[in-house]
Amino acid sequence: MTTPLSAADFQAQLLDFLDGSPTPFHAVASLAALLDKAGFVRLKESDNWAMQPGGRYYVTRNDSSIIGFVYGTENQPADGVRMVGAHTDSPCLRVKPNPELVSQGYYQLGVETYGGVLLNPWFDRDLSLAGRVTYRTDHGELRSAMIDFKRAVAVIPSLAIHLNRDANRGQEINAQTDIPPVLMQVEADAKPDFRDIVVQQMQAQGITGIAQVLDYELSFYDTQPAAVIGLQQEFIASARLDNLLSCFIGVQALLGSDGSQSVLLVCNDHEEVGSRSACGAQGPMLADFLARLLPDTEQRLRAVRRSLMISADNAHGVHPNYAAKHDGNHGPLLNKGPVIKVNSNQSYATNSESSAVFRHCCEQAGVAVQSFVTRTDMGCGSTIGPITSAQVGVLTLDVGVPTFAMHSIRELAGSSDAHGMYRVLSYFFQASGNLLPVSQ
């Protein structure tokens, strides 16, 4: 068990985590480093497992999803597991397999939109590249490595208003033709090979013995660092708050666990594109983990019924310029507490019992709580909550920190909300006794 983080220490470490996690691969590496430092034992899915009471473990899949687990000494897994779920991916621009474009002497890369990207804010930003590269070594072995250019290497310039007088009256962005980033100037007949550029970056990072880059998963990201802003320092501004903010809150709550309760954090990849993958929430990763933790089917099914999952994903804060986009009674305010997300059509997994548990935890932790329901005449997004609940059968609710500009290249959240959610999840992981309602 670690000493609880003060608000100041929490914020400082959060900013470092956000800056060091430009892709899901880097996010999982950052989470794993925190768990390694705290003495968690890394498990490999291809090995035999022998988890014991009092042990602390973690496992990754695809380098982009991670499960951390504390095996309780008092509350055994068969008596139920307290779970928190989040996701490591964020909407972004991914480099295509054959991306090279040369136009008017400018070298550009073709990109594919990943998830529901808010495209307008990507223009005129200082962009870098990061992700995973799979290559063949000089000895014929296949290996994967993470790379991060870190410095600004590209930009998507806006078209001057003089050439588009209707730009401020609403402009449709063509994702195929309008957003390929500009990397450099070249001769008109030049044909730079992007894989050569990748090799140069790998070598600059000390990776040697590269015979050939076979493939990659690389994303552009904004180089502007995360920051605490506002006249009273009440806001956190950063890329990827959705949903690295919840990943960081979850791992800090896990690190603070005293070991008496069986608690679990799962951070899945691919939520922004539907979660349908081997390492996504619609895949078998969490179910596989629980099956290995409790091999006996009867025991495992009983344990699931005694468990609770808190799906932590950002919520829409009511925007002062667009307040009409919210239901009048359900417009969460920044810095007024975490939000319980409700949708009767099951876009969120919350029900009255799971919501009541979270309200109880907030009260015990001394943290205010809010509710969000989308306008009845508007559609509702979803999370890993309903997917996980359907896959595993666990009682689940959806909560989140209220946020502005969700899916933008730079989002905004309340600084006290993040620390408040940390306090609530810490209580959830450590509270003794049964937290589930007893039916009459």
Side-chain angles (χ1 to χ4, degrees), residues 55-378:
R56 293 170 177 252
Y57 309 94
Y58 76 93
V59 63
T60 67
R61 183 176 286 189
N62 189 50
D63 302 324
S64 62
S65 295
I66 188 169
I67 293 175
F69 177 68
V70 175
Y71 198 124
T73 55
E74 297 178 14
N75 182 67
Q76 299 292 298
D79 297 321
V81 180
R82 297 177 187 179
M83 309 181 199
V84 169
H87 65 88
T88 59
D89 61 321
S90 302
C92 62
L93 304 182
R94 292 272 178 94
V95 181
K96 292 181 176 179
N98 302 311
E100 296 88 354
L101 301 170
V102 176
S103 177
Q104 306 301 314
Y106 295 97
Y107 179 67
Q108 300 172 270
L109 294 180
V111 292
E112 185 179 15
T113 56
Y114 176 89
V117 188
L118 191 60
L119 285 174
N120 273 303
W122 280 79
F123 287 83
D124 307 317
R125 307 293 297 194
D126 298 340
L127 303 178
S128 190
L129 268 173
R132 182 174 67 179
V133 178
T134 302
Y135 63 101
R136 184 168 52 243
T137 70
D138 291 336
H139 300 293
E141 300 173 327
L142 298 186
R143 291 186 181 178
S144 292
M146 291 189 301
I147 66 169
D148 184 356
F149 284 72
K150 293 188 176 180
R151 63 186 178 91
V153 298
V155 66
I156 307 171
S158 294
L159 182 64
I161 195 168
H162 313 78
L163 305 177
N164 182 12
R165 293 294 183 178
D166 294 327
N168 292 329
R169 297 188 181 93
Q171 178 181 356
E172 182 178 347
I173 298 173
N174 186 302
Q176 172 69 17
T177 60
D178 295 344
I179 62 171
V182 175
L183 276 74
M184 62 181 174
Q185 289 183 291
V186 295
E187 296 299 325
D189 59 348
K191 296 181 179 179
D193 187 338
F194 179 60
R195 281 170 167 75
D196 291 340
I197 296 173
V198 172
V199 169
Q200 292 171 21
Q201 178 59 31
M202 295 172 70
Q203 292 172 336
Q205 293 182 198
I207 302 171
T208 60
I210 307 163
Q212 182 183 6
V213 169
L214 298 173
D215 226 324
Y216 52 77
E217 294 169 80
L218 298 176
S219 304
F220 283 99
Y221 70 92
D222 186 7
T223 58
Q224 184 177 3
V228 177
I229 68 170
L231 281 176
Q232 301 179 71
Q233 300 286 279
E234 61 264 70
F235 305 119
I236 297 171
S238 175
R240 304 175 299 281
L241 289 179
D242 177 21
N243 187 28
L244 294 188
L245 180 59
S246 299
C247 293
F248 180 79
I249 293 170
V251 78
Q252 291 299 335
L254 187 73
L255 293 174
S257 167
D258 62 10
S260 61
Q261 305 294 319
S262 291
V263 298
L264 179 150
L265 170 69
V266 55
C267 298
N268 289 115
D269 195 3
H270 300 142
E271 188 274 345
E272 298 292 359
V273 292
S275 296
R276 191 176 60 190
S277 69
C279 59
Q282 200 171 159
M285 184 177 181
L286 178 57
D288 287 348
F289 183 90
L290 295 175
R292 298 182 75 165
L293 176 67
L294 296 166
D296 181 79
T297 301
E298 177 74 14
Q299 187 182 52
R300 183 170 66 256
L301 293 176
R302 293 174 63 187
V304 167
R305 297 310 310 144
R306 296 166 177 165
S307 300
L308 177 68
M309 160 71 77
I310 295 179
S311 166
D313 201 348
N314 300 35
H316 295 292
V318 59
H319 195 303
N321 298 341
Y322 304 95
K325 293 293 185 180
H326 282 260
D327 181 279
N329 291 336
H330 300 91
L333 299 174
L334 271 61
N335 289 313
K336 297 299 182 181
V339 179
I340 298 173
K341 302 192 287 187
V342 178
N343 181 265
S344 61
N345 294 304
Q346 295 301 297
S347 288
Y348 303 132
T350 309
N351 67 18
S352 60
E353 291 192 328
S354 59
S355 175
V357 174
F358 191 75
R359 290 185 184 278
H360 170 75
C361 291
C362 287
E363 181 178 308
Q364 296 303 308
V367 175
V369 63
Q370 306 180 81
S371 296
F372 171 77
V373 180
T374 192
R375 284 178 57 112
T376 309
D377 56 359
M378 293 179 64

